[in-house]
Amino acid sequence: MDLTDAKRIVVLGAGQAAAQAIQSLRMGGYTGELTLVGEEPALPYQRPPLSKAYMKGEFAEERLYFKPAAWYEDNNVELILSTRATSIDRAERRVDLEHGGHLEYDALIIATGSRPRALPIDGAELEHVYALRGLADVERIRPQMVAGRSMVIIGAGYIGLEAAAVAQQMGLKTTVLEMAPRVLARVTSPVMSEFYEAEHRRQGVEIRTETSLSKLEGNDGAVTAAVLTDGTKLDADIVLVGIGILPNEALAKNSGIACNNGILVDRDARTSDPRIFAAGDCASRPLVHFGRSGRLESVHNAIEQGKLAAAAILGKPRPNEDCPWFWSDQYDLKLQIAGLGAGYDEIVVRGSPEDRKFAAFYLKNGTLIAVDAINSPPEFLASKKLIMSGAKLSADILADTSITMKEIATNAVAA
């Protein structure tokens, strides 16, 4: 469908994907009405620092904003904040808002993100039990993070381990509980799990794997302890829940748009309704470098899909689709990830984990599909290109640190 004559575009959400779509539309020459609807009172802001520098108080709130308020005014973008969209009427091309108003659209971008999975046990409703997803969460958590207090973190994914690193550095007694046999079990290999678990233990964090939580206990409405299924009771002044997220797809699903663990979109971020697009955590997209579809929870994905949706609306050529990439900061460790490692049949380690500078390459049938690079930018950058090229690689050459990554990439492309 040709939307180049769209006079009214509405963007639902105020995260990375929404902010990028707004910016790309205006930079791409769109001059019509442009409205952004966000549930939170804050201007659109970035989320990755929330579990890192911002939680530690090293990052001012204003630095989180993608653009200052003046940018939206100067670019004639209407901001409707502290407001939730309640329904989409596709026939009337209208979005209903919780305060009773509505917005008409010619094109609509859903960038509603995701929400934390709720902790399904008794005591989850107690005070000082938190999820970590937005600014308001950090504002509630940070005053409680006082040296000497006990913090129990449920879930050893990236958010849980990043928060554990911050808590430990701030002097809290920190315990991480994980049901799986190893940390980061759902997102990386045993090589990386072993490295991170050892690092957190070295820093003083208590890691308990293959551990299930039975309930949380409290006093005067506030949490005081985490009780494990084996009866062990752990002191807990603060509990942080990091057991995954769910896509906010209800608006789309309730309006009849196709969804399956995310709003289904094509390569242009277009949904089953040709006037409606979806981008970011809430969308399930074609993963063109891997021959399947899925959701990607990353800054890169949000930026890319925001650009794709804007380009499609403007009738411009589709932007390049990059190799997926992610990162995580814990202590002095910078983890950079390229690609998707699911289905690998070989791991090649380049460098030494003992030196805190190494990379784990994941191959499938001799083809590089992903890398985890610790304090190793050359391995990360070269791997992005190698993954997109689909080049065959020798495990011996990858592991040989006397050969530079530039040489490996050049020779692989030439081959």
Side-chain angles (χ1 to χ4, degrees):
M1 174 179 284
D2 184 0
L3 295 174
T4 55
D5 61 348
K7 295 180 174 58
R8 296 178 299 262
I9 300 176
V10 174
V11 179
L12 304 180
Q16 185 90 55
Q20 183 62 58
I22 291 282
Q23 182 176 341
S24 294
L25 285 165
R26 283 298 190 232
M27 289 180 63
Y30 181 69
T31 58
E33 294 180 21
L34 189 52
T35 302
L36 180 145
V37 180
E39 290 190 26
E40 299 179 60
L43 293 171
Y45 65 91
Q46 53 183 316
R47 296 181 187 273
L50 295 181
S51 59
K52 309 175 186 74
Y54 188 72
M55 181 178 280
K56 292 171 70 175
E58 299 174 351
F59 206 91
E61 180 177 328
E62 290 72 23
R63 291 180 61 195
L64 295 175
Y65 300 156
F66 296 116
K67 298 288 185 183
W71 185 90
Y72 298 97
E73 184 175 350
D74 292 343
N75 286 275
N76 197 24
V77 176
E78 180 185 15
L79 294 178
I80 302 178
L81 304 177
S82 300
T83 302
R84 186 173 61 90
T86 56
S87 64
I88 300 168
D89 187 326
R90 293 165 54 202
E92 297 294 328
R93 302 211 303 263
R94 187 185 72 211
V95 175
D96 294 320
L97 305 178
E98 62 182 342
H99 57 61
H102 70 268
L103 297 169
E104 295 178 348
Y105 66 84
D106 295 312
L108 174 68
I109 301 175
I110 304 174
T112 46
S114 55
R115 65 191 183 282
R117 289 182 181 274
L119 190 62
I121 61 168
D122 291 341
E125 75 290 345
L126 290 166
E127 287 186 41
H128 305 156
V129 177
Y130 306 103
L132 179 52
R133 192 61 187 160
L135 263 172
D137 296 322
V138 181
E139 296 304 322
R140 288 190 290 267
I141 295 169
R142 201 158 50 182
Q144 307 303 322
M145 296 186 69
V146 177
R149 288 186 177 177
S150 297
M151 185 175 196
V152 173
I153 298 173
I154 315 301
Y158 288 122
I159 290 292
L161 293 185
E162 288 169 0
V166 170
Q168 191 67 22
Q169 290 171 322
M170 293 178 70
L172 282 78
K173 178 184 177 183
T174 310
T175 303
V176 178
L177 308 180
E178 173 57 55
M179 292 179 64
R182 56 187 177 88
V183 305
L184 303 174
R186 287 173 288 277
V187 292
T188 194
S189 67
V191 171
M192 300 303 292
S193 295
E194 181 180 342
F195 173 78
Y196 272 102
E197 186 168 332
E199 176 64 19
H200 278 277
R201 292 187 191 280
R202 189 180 73 81
Q203 296 281 356
V205 176
E206 182 179 0
I207 303 281
R208 291 178 175 241
T209 56
E210 298 185 277
T211 299
S212 295
L213 189 62
S214 172
K215 62 180 178 178
L216 298 176
E217 293 183 343
N219 185 32
D220 292 332
V223 69
T224 57
V227 182
L228 310 183
T229 51
D230 65 3
T232 302
K233 185 178 292 190
L234 305 174
D235 290 341
D237 298 305
I238 310 166
V239 171
L240 180 64
V241 181
I243 55 175
I245 61 176
L246 296 169
N248 289 327
E249 61 183 7
L251 271 175
K253 183 179 289 186
N254 292 342
S255 70
I257 292 172
C259 298
N260 183 12
N261 185 31
I263 305 168
L264 299 180
V265 299
D266 64 12
R267 290 180 65 179
D268 295 312
R270 196 186 301 260
T271 71
S272 56
D273 183 319
R275 289 185 177 274
I276 300 179
F277 299 77
D281 285 3
C282 66
S284 177
R285 64 178 293 189
L287 305 174
V288 296
H289 303 294
F290 297 90
R292 59 185 176 87
S293 294
R295 286 195 308 109
L296 296 177
E297 300 162 4
S298 71
V299 167
H300 155 253
N301 176 66
I303 292 173
E304 188 168 84
Q305 283 201 294
K307 291 179 178 179
L308 288 166
I313 293 170
L314 295 171
K316 295 182 178 294
R318 179 187 296 143
N320 291 332
E321 294 164 273
D322 199 2
C323 169
W325 56 264
F326 316 81
W327 83 89
S328 176
D329 293 324
Q330 299 171 45
Y331 307 111
D332 60 338
L333 302 173
K334 180 74 170 185
L335 169 62
Q336 293 173 292
I337 304 162
L340 303 172
Y344 71 88
D345 54 30
E346 184 177 11
I347 300 178
V348 179
V349 176
R350 177 182 174 89
S352 172
E354 288 74 25
D355 295 334
R356 303 166 68 76
K357 181 180 173 65
F358 72 101
F361 298 94
Y362 303 92
L363 292 90
K364 184 175 183 180
N365 299 324
T367 299
L368 183 66
I369 59 172
V371 67
D372 290 330
I374 299 282
N375 295 336
S376 301
E379 281 71 13
F380 167 70
L381 294 172
S383 292
K384 287 177 67 178
K385 297 177 181 178
L386 289 165
I387 292 166
M388 287 191 288
S389 73
K392 295 285 186 179
L393 295 165
S394 161
D396 291 339
I397 290 177
L398 277 175
D400 188 347
T401 55
S402 70
I403 306 173
T404 68
M405 287 304 301
K406 184 177 180 180
E407 291 172 324
I408 292 173
T410 300
N411 293 332
V413 171

